[in-house]
Amino acid sequence: MKVVIVGGGVIGCSTAYYLSCKPCSEVILIEQCDQVAAAASGKAGGFLARDWCSGPLDALARRSFDLHAELAEKHDNPWDYRRLNTISVKMTGYQASMVEQVPWLDKVDQGDAGIMGSKSTTAQVTPAKFTRGMMELAIKQGATRLKGRVTGLQKTAAGAASGVVLEDGTKVLGDAIVLCMGPWSGTAKSWVPTLPTIDGSKAHSIVVQPSQPETITDHAIFVSYAAKGKMTNPEIYPRPDGTVYMCSTGDDDAPLPEDPNHVTVSPADCDRIYSIMGTVSTALQDATILKQQACYLPSSPDSNPLLGPVPDVPGLFIATGHTCWGILNAPATGEAMADLIVDGKTSHCDVSGLLVSRFY
């Protein structure tokens, strides 16, 4: 069985990996950028939570959290997987008291700190490393990566998906076509008008290098921060390499560009994130900025992922719409998609409430 995956983000690369584990699959992944993880999958925070998702997403998240641990152990952890403690803090001023468990948060009132997760329920990976690592593993197991921009869907006379058309006119044929294009999956509505709408919300982030990284402990921090009457909820993730990641929503609501390479970064939004970082911790207020970046997070009409076969186009599958939980849910999504494509059913996790067919 030949499977063509469109999109080299964490969902596409995880699907390629799990398909490559099945002996009956020939896998081709098509990505238009120079490398995989070029968009949100390379700019995300990489935070993992076992029990933070609810409704139809709960089972997928729990399965995926466990798979992250299994994958790291099986493949010698090339993507910095580690367990974390997670806390929430509220900024009520510039108090000198510190959070007892996290001494480097010396500008946060200890009374406003709350425990959100422990090392049994929260963890992290470095997203770009994880995504590229999964693709490398898939390639080692026989998958192929092709650079190109997909502009159309090839169909049989009966209306079944039989391949994709690249910008240069090349046709890549397959028995199953899988759309894993994140927020750009919405462009496929011009090929299949019945597909649900996929939107993208923009988020900014920075990566900094503290002058004394050894003082920054392995705690994920969720901040409730008010400035000029506006509440934001930035997140801080120290990483094993000594850098610190911080993200937040911003004022830049530029529409999704046609090309992932054309995503723009708002210096003002990144400066605001850096400023908030300094109000939380003295250890971070003079950290060197290594990266300022932006990405778009994909979402469906009901904010849950769209998975599985597209009902009115035999041979066409979709996996997208994971919002901010794409890194967390990628392994279980890839596993479930491989099962659905090859076996016609899932064997490890119930994804019935996430199937794209709920919109048909």
Side-chain angles (χ1 to χ4, degrees):
M1 183 180 202
K2 184 177 180 180
V3 183
V4 178
I5 300 170
V6 184
V10 70
I11 302 299
C13 292
S14 295
T15 301
Y17 168 78
Y18 281 101
L19 279 168
S20 72
C21 294
K22 292 182 176 290
C24 57
S25 297
E26 177 188 353
V27 183
I28 299 175
L29 183 142
I30 304 175
E31 167 57 44
Q32 65 176 319
C33 296
D34 290 335
Q35 58 183 344
V36 299
S41 297
K43 300 176 176 66
F47 178 75
L48 314 175
R50 189 174 196 276
D51 53 4
W52 287 25
C53 297
S54 59
L57 196 53
D58 178 63
L60 188 79
R62 290 175 182 271
R63 173 65 179 170
S64 213
F65 186 83
D66 293 342
L67 284 175
H68 269 289
E70 292 176 17
L71 287 165
E73 182 176 3
K74 181 178 181 179
H75 299 295
D76 298 323
N77 193 22
W79 42 71
D80 302 332
Y81 172 86
R82 68 174 177 179
R83 298 295 183 111
L84 294 172
N85 289 304
T86 303
I87 69 169
S88 64
V89 298
K90 296 179 180 179
M91 291 305 301
T92 58
Y94 289 85
Q95 297 91 339
S97 60
M98 63 181 64
V99 178
E100 182 178 358
Q101 313 98 306
V102 193
W104 52 275
L105 292 180
D106 58 343
K107 293 185 176 182
V108 177
D109 186 357
Q110 181 176 344
D112 283 334
I115 305 299
M116 299 181 72
S118 68
K119 290 187 177 182
S120 63
T121 60
T122 54
Q124 73 178 149
V125 295
T126 301
K129 290 183 179 180
F130 176 72
T131 304
R132 291 166 188 158
M134 292 292 274
M135 189 69 240
E136 289 170 5
L137 290 168
I139 290 172
K140 287 180 180 179
Q141 294 176 166
T144 302
R145 192 219 147 175
L146 177 65
K147 186 176 185 297
R149 180 169 179 260
V150 175
T151 57
L153 183 68
Q154 182 80 8
K155 295 182 181 181
T156 67
S162 60
V164 295
V165 181
L166 304 187
E167 192 172 33
D168 63 3
T170 300
K171 295 178 182 178
V172 182
L173 303 182
D175 302 301
I177 311 301
V178 192
L179 304 179
C180 302
M181 301 183 292
W184 286 276
S185 299
T187 62
K189 279 185 72 70
S190 63
W191 318 332
V192 184
T194 58
L195 282 175
T197 299
I198 298 294
D199 295 316
S201 59
K202 194 171 187 180
H204 281 77
S205 60
I206 62 174
V207 179
V208 304
Q209 178 65 65
S211 59
Q212 295 181 303
E214 67 278 2
T215 66
I216 309 298
T217 55
D218 53 350
H219 290 79
I221 313 297
F222 286 71
V223 185
S224 294
Y225 180 87
K228 298 180 180 180
K230 183 178 181 180
M231 178 66 74
T232 60
N233 300 101
E235 303 163 14
I236 304 174
Y237 307 132
R239 287 177 167 169
D241 65 358
T243 63
V244 178
Y245 173 98
M246 185 171 182
C247 64
S248 179
T249 55
D251 297 324
D252 179 9
D253 58 354
L256 182 74
E258 290 186 5
D259 188 331
N261 292 307
H262 296 160
V263 174
T264 59
V265 176
S266 165
D269 280 333
C270 290
D271 288 346
R272 182 178 56 82
I273 294 172
Y274 184 68
S275 175
I276 295 173
M277 183 179 279
T279 67
V280 172
S281 170
T282 301
L284 298 179
Q285 67 183 7
D286 296 320
T288 301
I289 297 177
L290 303 179
K291 295 180 182 179
Q292 295 183 324
Q293 52 196 14
C295 64
Y296 288 82
L297 306 177
S299 62
S300 72
D302 63 5
S303 299
N304 281 318
L306 302 174
L307 305 182
V310 176
D312 57 351
V313 184
L316 181 64
F317 295 78
I318 191 168
T320 189
H322 292 71
T323 64
C324 61
W325 294 113
I327 304 299
L328 165 64
N329 287 314
T333 295
E335 179 186 61
M337 290 300 297
D339 285 346
L340 288 169
I341 293 164
V342 176
D343 305 322
K345 61 181 181 179
T346 57
S347 55
H348 300 93
C349 180
D350 179 14
V351 297
S352 57
L354 302 174
L355 294 177
V356 67
S357 57
R358 68 187 185 273
F359 289 104
Y360 285 78

